[in-house]
Amino acid sequence: QTTGIQAVHGSSSWCVTNRLRIIMRIGAMIQPLQHRLCATAMPTVLTRDQLDRWRHDGVIVWPGFVSAEAIDGLKRRASEIVDAFEPDADTGVFSTRAQAGQADAALIASADAVHCFFEEEAFDVDGRMVVPKSRSINKIGHALHDRDAVFDSFSHGPALAALATDLGLVDPQVWQSQVIFKQPGIGGEVRWHQ
């Protein structure tokens, strides 16, 4: 069984779900947290009502779980990563429709690195960028939690550790993290994908 955490973009409301993967959205996404489940004692950060909702509904909405300042810091750092990013021939384009060749190679190469991925419509048929870089990025992935100090601090911080403990997770491990951008006027359909 895996666990998920999702925050609403532009706010500090969090939704914790036990259905698919650990996903934290801050206009961003940090995903799968692999773990084993065990029985929990009295919660330390979750209220008894939140824990009961978790067990019954598989979801917790948690306004204020992450401070607005922390969210701003993560968004600021993501912008810095995009600004510093220099595309090259190996840069990937994120697509759930055509996951082959170069896109797959770029995804695999990002497993232990921090890479930016473009939206499908960022380039014309001749390969020229037609949208400014800052608005053409689909995501940054996939090892922010290990390779970037700001995201590492957030991903391995005491708030998430306390939440994991309350949910009964033993030896939680962050395996992947990513920032997902929802760009205005650009972006392909995201189908079910692995």
Side-chain angles (χ1 to χ4, degrees), residues 20-135:
L20 294 171
R21 302 178 153 160
I22 180 115
I23 298 173
M24 291 178 260
R25 268 185 206 224
I26 308 180
M29 218 194 255
I30 303 168
Q31 27 174 263
L33 174 64
Q34 183 179 27
H35 64 277
R36 298 182 310 253
L37 296 176
C38 72
T40 54
M42 278 305 266
T44 57
V45 293
L46 292 173
T47 65
R48 179 55 61 191
D49 181 58
Q50 286 172 317
L51 199 51
D52 289 345
R53 285 182 183 273
W54 166 260
R55 290 181 178 139
H56 182 267
D57 302 331
V59 69
I60 302 168
V61 176
W62 192 341
F65 176 69
V66 176
S67 72
E69 294 80 19
I71 291 171
D72 288 344
L74 293 167
K75 289 166 70 175
R76 191 170 34 258
R77 181 61 189 133
S79 292
E80 291 168 0
I81 292 169
V82 170
D83 289 345
F85 165 63
E86 291 299 328
D88 61 27
D90 296 326
T91 300
V93 173
F94 179 76
S95 172
T96 60
R97 289 184 285 185
Q99 291 186 325
Q102 184 179 1
D104 281 348
L107 286 168
I108 291 167
S110 72
D112 65 351
V114 175
H115 290 191
C116 293
F117 294 84
F118 286 104
E119 289 286 359
E120 290 176 301
E121 296 92 3
F123 301 94
D124 66 16
V125 293
D126 296 320
R128 290 184 300 259
M129 190 180 299
V130 294
V131 178
K133 181 176 71 170
S134 64
R135 287 198 12 243

Side-chain angles (χ1 to χ4, degrees), residues 129-147:
M129 190 180 299
V130 294
V131 178
K133 181 176 71 170
S134 64
R135 287 198 12 243
S136 66
I137 300 298
N138 172 276
K139 68 178 172 178
I140 305 171
H142 285 99
L144 290 161
H145 62 285
D146 281 336
R147 304 284 186 225

